[in-house]
Amino acid sequence: MRYFLSYFKPHRKLFFADLLCAAFIAAADLSFPMLTRYSINNFLGTSDFRSFYIFIACMVALYAVRTGAQYFVTYFGHLFGARVETDMRRDIFAHIESQSFSFFDGTRTGQLMSRITNDLFEITELAHHGPEDLFIAFLTLSGSLILMLTIRWELVAILAIFLPIVILHTALSRKNLMAASKNVKEKIAEINTATESSISGIRVTQIFTNEEYEKARFEKNNRCYYAAKRGFYRAMAFFHCRLDFFTSILNVIIIAVGGYLIMQAKMNLTDLITATLFSAAFLQPIRRLTAFVEQYVTGMAGFKRFTEIMRTSEEIKDKPNAVRIDSAKGDIEYENIGFAYNNGTTVLDKVNLSIKAGQTVAFVGPSGSGKTTLCSLLPRFYELNSGRITLDGRDITDISVESLRRQIGLVQQDVFLFAGTIKENIAYGKTDATDEEIIEAARRAEIHDDIIKTDKGYDTLVGERGIRLSGGQKQRIAIARIFLKNPPILILDEATSALDTATEIKIQKSFERLAKGRTTLVIAHRLSTIRNADRIAVVSDEGICEQGTHPSLLARNGLYASLYNAQKDLLG
Ligand code: ADP
């Protein structure tokens, strides 16, 4: 709760202005029965029209001001709620952005989408109406009780019995409703996850003509969602009906007791009218409380899911005394490192490796042996379980993550292009790059000629609404990004898919240009491309089992020689 309220702080002025207006509205509503009573008692029997009209004009003025306050509450109150919601959404997004790869390995995109969007939808309503409803309800309830005391204590006694029943009932229903609402949110997150997965895989689905299968899978989730909603509405309906019953009975009781008192000549008709008007004023806050409970359960269920994410932290954090490095030389040392993914199977154990600045080291070995893993440890995408990695003699955990990653350029197998233009995608390597720099980078990455052939050149859209680039073109865009970033260390993950020879040569040329003067780690899939590497490290399940130059490893006639010969045979 304190965490929730901490989001109110930056907007507290708006919040208190809203409460003030709400208090005014409550006071205006409360004054209505009293004013009616006053006018009946003082004017109806007389013919003092002037005072009567002045009195009526004052009431109209009061309601006009009340309308202004209502406008403020409805508009600025919601605005306040929306600000809280927006702040929360910004924080959860920032939090997710800072998580390590392990977090994303274990979390589905659809789930995260749901937490960022749906789960926070009701926060506006809760943040705005919640405190306001509670506050107004408190004011009007206590106000009407006190004012009624001035009429007849017997009526207050009835209300005093009635009120705890309502509060108890509300408190008991809250837990049920909350669980039901959380369930609805979980199911919508599952729908999001399923949708995300099915739509990303639509091409596979269509080629296998599995649309019916996908529809059935979706329908299952959809049904679960429906069932969850049904549960929620059932709980809601019970809650409302019970409360409605209490409130209707209240009117009957007031009439009964009031009628009895009148028949006993202990009360006059005006007081009974006032009392029934008060019971209406009294029911208003009860309705508000009901609405509050509804908003509270749905809003809080979302907020709980929000805090669940905000509390899981798999961030790779800087040590308090982490240093920023400007430009690394590029000496890299893996010292006795051990690493396992979250699922626990050890991938690397007691691995040692030393790379001198400017050297190119190629990693080869069977797929799944840990080459990619070995390289992802350097930018600290994952944290080591044991041992350490140093850059220029300094433990990488002593370097600020941001400055460490600035030293490293990474070209992955499947390049991700963001929705946007080609230019924007290249400029991702240096967001403030000038057009000349971008074009120069594209030339060096051998992609410039391909780009100018498209309709709009550098302004051509890529991604879902734009053109599709081939695997080879995407790789060269990724290389252009790195030219712009210009880091001293490179990690190149060669594309596994075979490219045509012309593209292959272009990529090779740009890779070589990129690697010049930089410490380079290449994850090689085709051994022909790495013959010139300064060193080749052969990774197997036992870690790095052989190291050396191409000729020395061939001469050794070990795993490398057999891998090389197998590929040579394959390629003829
Ligand atoms: P290579 O690059 O040599 O093909 P990887 O480094 O990708 O090998 O994988 C090494 C091992 O780690 C494999 O057994 C793989 O299944 C496992 N692995 C890779 N990535 C992950 C991950 N994100 N989570 C869990 N296990 C993984």
Side-chain angles (χ1 to χ4, degrees), residues 105 341 343 347 366-373 382:
D105 287 347
Y341 283 104
N343 56 15
V347 180
S367 100
S369 56
K371 306 181 289 291
T372 312
T373 308
Y382 296 95

Side-chain angles (χ1 to χ4, degrees), residues 101-102 104-106 339-348 364-376 382 413 493 523 525 539 541:
F101 280 26
S102 325
F104 295 100
D105 287 347
F339 175 75
Y341 283 104
N342 279 348
N343 56 15
T345 43
T346 303
V347 180
L348 299 165
V364 300
S367 100
S369 56
K371 306 181 289 291
T372 312
T373 308
L374 200 61
C375 292
S376 3
Y382 296 95
Q413 271 178 34
D493 195 348
I523 302 165
H525 300 285
V539 185
D541 290 344

Side-chain angles (χ1 to χ4, degrees), residues 439-487:
I439 293 172
E440 174 59 20
R443 275 189 209 283
R444 290 161 78 184
E446 304 268 336
I447 184 72
H448 175 74
D449 294 343
D450 290 36
I451 296 174
I452 52 174
K453 269 187 226 147
T454 59
D455 318 337
K456 294 196 185 134
Y458 283 85
D459 293 321
T460 305
L461 287 175
V462 292
E464 267 152 32
R465 298 229 209 105
I467 59 160
R468 303 231 146 243
L469 296 175
S470 71
Q473 287 169 327
K474 283 195 199 166
Q475 273 229 324
R476 281 173 285 151
I477 298 240
I479 295 171
R481 281 180 186 160
I482 310 292
F483 271 120
L484 276 184
K485 184 176 179 182
N486 195 22

Side-chain angles (χ1 to χ4, degrees), residues 328-339:
K329 207 167 113 234
D331 282 321
I332 297 164
E333 202 83 43
Y334 283 66
E335 295 173 12
N336 232 352
I337 65 135
F339 175 75

Side-chain angles (χ1 to χ4, degrees), residues 7-18:
Y7 277 94
F8 283 29
K9 221 168 159 201
H11 313 294
R12 56 184 178 277
K13 278 192 197 139
L14 197 56
F15 176 67
F16 286 119
D18 178 53

